[in-house]
Amino acid sequence: MKKQRFVIIGILMALLVVPSLKAQESKIGVRAGWQSSLLNSDGNKSDKLSSFYAGVFKENKLIPLIHLGYGLEYSQMGGAYDLLDYKLGYLGVPVYAKAKVGPLYGLVGSGINFKISETDLGDGEDNAKGIDVPVYAGVGFNFLMLSIEARYHWGMIEIQDKTKNQYLQLGVAARF
């Protein structure tokens, strides 16, 4: 299983480096920020867990107002139960469409997150599934080569019995 993860990570990193031949304009960048996550189990929500996210991305301009992007991103999700923080580390591959009007933009996307770590709950077992598939929507503001953005993610599959991830990301990005 670990060998498969390294192969997948290697392929995804190669995709970020290979330039798109059809794109009119292409930019690469880095993004990082604060994240607040919780676990939603049939409407019963855990306490929020504050953490971070960081990653790299590539965007291709299709037409003047529409961009398509993808990336590789590490994030830490989970929730708090009583005095225990339950944390899941994910390596994700987000794919999104971005519509720009002046310095403002909106984006929608999805992706796949691969679990790379999990807090031990004392039973010696991994409790969460190995993947999560979120969809998200967000807004942002560009200033020179920097942008400030907010994105909200909803997990579409159950990572445990009737439990899904939900999280808010607030961060900055730099494009080169």
Side-chain angles (χ1 to χ4, degrees):
M1 182 68 178
K2 288 187 179 189
K3 288 181 183 179
Q4 290 175 339
R5 287 182 185 170
F6 286 119
V7 170
I8 291 170
I9 290 167
I11 291 169
L12 296 174
M13 290 180 77
L15 289 173
L16 290 173
V17 175
V18 175
S20 173
L21 298 175
K22 295 183 180 180
Q24 295 175 0
E25 183 180 323
S26 181
K27 299 245 183 202
I28 60 170
V30 295
R31 68 170 40 108
W34 171 81
Q35 178 170 288
S36 178
S37 63
L38 59 84
L39 298 171
N40 187 348
S41 180
D42 269 349
N44 297 322
K45 296 180 180 180
S46 69
D47 292 333
K48 293 178 181 171
L49 178 70
S50 289
S51 59
F52 70 96
Y53 70 97
V56 296
F57 65 91
K58 181 174 180 183
E59 286 185 359
N60 297 316
K61 183 181 352 179
L62 296 180
I63 58 175
L65 300 178
I66 305 293
H67 298 244
L68 291 179
Y70 56 92
L72 190 62
E73 190 171 283
Y74 174 80
S75 58
Q76 195 174 63
M77 294 173 224
Y81 293 105
D82 299 322
L83 299 175
L84 175 68
D85 287 344
Y86 178 55
K87 296 179 183 176
L88 297 159
Y90 285 100
L91 189 60
V93 184
V95 178
Y96 58 91
K98 179 163 115 176
K100 284 182 61 177
V101 178
L104 299 175
Y105 62 87
L107 54 93
V108 295
S110 185
I112 186 165
N113 294 336
F114 298 95
K115 182 180 75 169
I116 58 175
S117 67
E118 180 176 2
T119 301
D120 185 1
L121 293 176
D123 56 11
E125 296 181 15
D126 286 349
N127 293 307
K129 290 182 181 173
I131 63 168
D132 185 24
V133 178
V135 296
Y136 62 91
V139 295
F141 177 78
N142 287 327
F143 179 73
L144 301 174
M145 63 186 255
L146 298 176
S147 58
I148 299 170
E149 60 186 22
R151 300 181 283 173
Y152 197 86
H153 299 245
W154 296 270
M156 293 288 104
I157 64 171
E158 295 177 357
I159 60 165
Q160 291 179 341
D161 186 34
K162 298 182 182 179
T163 302
K164 298 179 181 180
N165 280 315
Q166 284 184 254
Y167 49 104
L168 169 69
Q169 294 179 328
L170 301 173
V172 296
R175 294 173 314 285
F176 310 102

